[in-house]
Amino acid sequence: MSEHLPYTIASVSLDEDGTRLSISFNTPEVLVTALGAQRERPFLSLSTTEANVTITTTGSGPVTERDVTLARKIADAAARYLADCEQLHAAQAATPMLPGLDEDAA
């Protein structure tokens, strides 16, 4: 049985279109924080010991309609991610691995 160890990847791409930073959290050890109205603008933060991503309002200013739209898209994507995780976890639990069988071969 192969073990899937947690990890975080951060990469930078430079090309004629500019610079692109990509972060991939492949770990359940992500601290998810949301701070809101008591700070004049909301913040959503995803953090590990290796990287942090923070989302807040346009230009760090007052909340705009576009900020509200983005927040709804984030909530919708998070709900889909949760549903997919629950579905796959249930399916994996219903199909036990045979002793000595590598899960990649199943």
Side-chain angles (χ1 to χ4, degrees), residues 56-100:
T56 190
T57 57
T58 304
S60 295
V63 177
T64 67
E65 186 60 37
R66 292 180 68 194
D67 296 323
V68 173
T69 298
L70 174 60
R72 286 187 183 117
K73 289 179 181 179
I74 292 169
D76 289 346
R80 286 192 309 274
Y81 179 73
L82 172 60
D84 289 347
C85 285
E86 289 173 337
Q87 177 186 3
L88 291 168
H89 185 257
Q92 291 161 355
T95 310
M97 296 300 298
L98 298 175

Side-chain angles (χ1 to χ4, degrees), residues 8 25 27 29-31 47-52:
T8 298
F25 296 117
T27 175
E29 303 300 322
V30 177
L31 176 63
S47 303
T48 66
T49 56
E50 300 88 7
N52 179 64

Side-chain angles (χ1 to χ4, degrees), residues 29-58:
E29 303 300 322
V30 177
L31 176 63
V32 179
T33 307
L35 302 171
Q38 69 277 14
R39 297 187 172 263
E40 296 185 23
R41 69 178 185 271
F43 292 85
L44 175 63
S45 177
L46 306 170
S47 303
T48 66
T49 56
E50 300 88 7
N52 179 64
V53 174
T54 300
I55 300 169
T56 190
T57 57
T58 304

